[in-house]
Amino acid sequence: MKKILLTILFIGISSKMLACTCMIQKVIDRYAKSDFVATVNVLKIDSEKDDNYLNLQIEILELYKGNQTDLLKIPKSRGTCGIYTPENTKWLIFASKDNNGNLTFGYCSGAKQIDKKFDSKRLKKYPNVETNHKRNLERKIELLQYLKTKKISPQNEFGLHSSFSLESMKKFKGYDVNKERFALYELTVDKDLSILNVKELKAFDNEKLAEELLEFIRENISIGRKGKLNEIPEQTKIVLGLYYYPPEKENSSFIGTFAL
């Protein structure tokens, strides 16, 4: 866990140095708000046809949400928040439609380069950055493939977010899980943001852990809404993901709410 946190700290420091900060979002929330989610090859970049966007000619490797397309757009860089997507590189993309119906993504959209190369000399203080980058992508892609296979399509029309206190999550340190890296739950949320029901969509392969987590979610989850609003117009359902991190040297295994 310590190595993962150091990687996150490094990324956060880098973003600050670049004077560009992005809100950390859960992958399921990104999926819910996106119109297009896929792994792609960037084939060609064309900057001449549009004053505001770079046009990316792409090849879809696997489509998780949205329709087939061979064109995406990214805003032309203005300052330090531009995103660099070289030709002949592979990416995991979360894109949304702009006011003109164009599928666009940017620096804070959650895009990750799959075949990214790291400068080991420059990152001597953070030797696990490349490994953690790879694991992060594997975890996210595995989740997206599961959603696609099981035809689960998370929605979040009211911009809800879920959380637990860090202290309460400590009780799940030290559990053994054989091979499942994530669990999924469908939450039915009432108008006042209280939880009406928790339905297990996918459990960890540890029966005791699975039972305790189900009860824990019912009793400890907190639901908030974007804009600090404390109600929604009608009942709704959202999907919660929990992720298992195995023990590493002196650190115990733990359960987290982010696909790190």
Side-chain angles (χ1 to χ4, degrees):
M1 181 178 180
K2 184 178 180 181
K3 291 180 180 178
I4 294 173
L5 292 176
L6 282 173
T7 301
I8 295 170
L9 178 61
F10 170 77
I11 293 170
I13 291 171
S14 299
S15 296
K16 272 192 171 183
M17 290 171 63
L18 293 171
C20 189
T21 57
C22 302
M23 182 178 69
I24 298 175
Q25 286 192 339
K26 297 169 184 172
V27 63
I28 288 181
D29 292 338
R30 286 197 185 280
Y31 178 100
K33 69 183 290 188
S34 300
D35 297 302
F36 175 88
V37 183
T39 52
V40 308
N41 272 329
V42 176
L43 303 177
K44 185 179 179 182
I45 302 173
D46 183 359
S47 61
E48 297 181 359
K49 295 179 180 179
D50 196 314
D51 292 334
N52 298 312
Y53 292 103
L54 295 176
N55 297 313
L56 271 60
Q57 296 293 330
I58 63 163
E59 172 195 15
I60 294 177
L61 301 175
E62 185 163 4
L63 180 65
Y64 304 110
K65 181 179 181 180
N67 299 319
Q68 292 285 336
T69 184
D70 59 4
L71 177 66
L72 297 174
K73 292 176 178 282
I74 57 175
K76 287 188 175 178
S77 177
R78 291 181 176 85
T80 57
C81 287
I83 184 170
Y84 179 52
T85 55
E87 293 180 355
N88 302 312
T89 54
K90 294 180 174 63
W91 288 77
L92 170 62
I93 301 294
F94 297 84
S96 299
K97 291 181 181 178
D98 66 9
N99 293 334
N100 296 316
N102 300 310
L103 282 171
T104 71
F105 68 98
Y107 185 85
C108 291
S109 301
K112 294 282 186 182
Q113 185 178 344
I114 296 171
D115 55 357
K116 183 175 182 178
K117 305 298 182 185
F118 290 82
D119 185 341
S120 57
K121 291 182 179 179
R122 180 170 171 263
L123 299 175
K124 277 185 178 180
K125 291 183 179 180
Y126 308 95
N128 298 295
V129 168
E130 185 170 3
T131 299
N132 288 334
H133 174 80
K134 182 180 178 182
R135 287 177 180 173
N136 174 279
L137 274 166
E138 287 175 348
R139 198 179 300 274
K140 288 178 177 176
I141 290 173
E142 184 180 341
L143 171 63
L144 292 170
Q145 288 173 336
Y146 186 86
L147 295 177
K148 177 181 177 179
T149 301
K150 298 299 181 181
K151 294 181 170 54
I152 300 171
S153 184
Q155 304 294 319
N156 194 344
E157 59 183 321
F158 300 120
L160 303 180
H161 53 85
S162 58
S163 62
F164 303 95
S165 71
L166 290 176
E167 190 64 31
S168 68
M169 292 294 288
K170 288 181 179 179
K171 68 176 293 184
F172 296 109
K173 282 189 173 183
Y175 276 87
D176 292 323
V177 169
N178 292 326
K179 60 180 180 179
E180 302 293 346
R181 294 202 278 189
F182 63 90
L184 296 175
Y185 304 86
E186 181 185 78
L187 311 180
T188 302
V189 184
D190 205 355
K191 294 180 182 180
D192 62 358
L193 305 188
S194 62
I195 297 296
L196 294 175
N197 187 50
V198 180
K199 178 183 177 182
E200 190 178 76
L201 300 178
K202 180 180 182 294
F204 291 117
D205 52 7
N206 178 319
E207 188 174 343
K208 184 175 184 293
L209 174 61
E211 289 177 0
E212 290 191 5
L213 277 171
L214 197 57
E215 187 62 28
F216 173 81
I217 294 168
R218 292 191 183 105
E219 295 181 357
N220 292 274
I221 195 165
S222 175
I223 302 294
R225 188 182 179 191
K226 187 177 180 180
K228 297 184 179 180
L229 302 174
N230 57 10
E231 62 181 9
I232 53 179
E234 59 189 17
Q235 289 181 15
T236 191
K237 293 181 179 180
I238 59 174
V239 175
L240 167 72
L242 294 178
Y243 306 90
Y244 175 77
Y245 295 89
E248 187 175 317
K249 293 186 178 180
E250 72 279 6
N251 298 308
S252 300
S253 65
F254 68 98
I255 303 293
T257 58
F258 286 89
L260 302 175

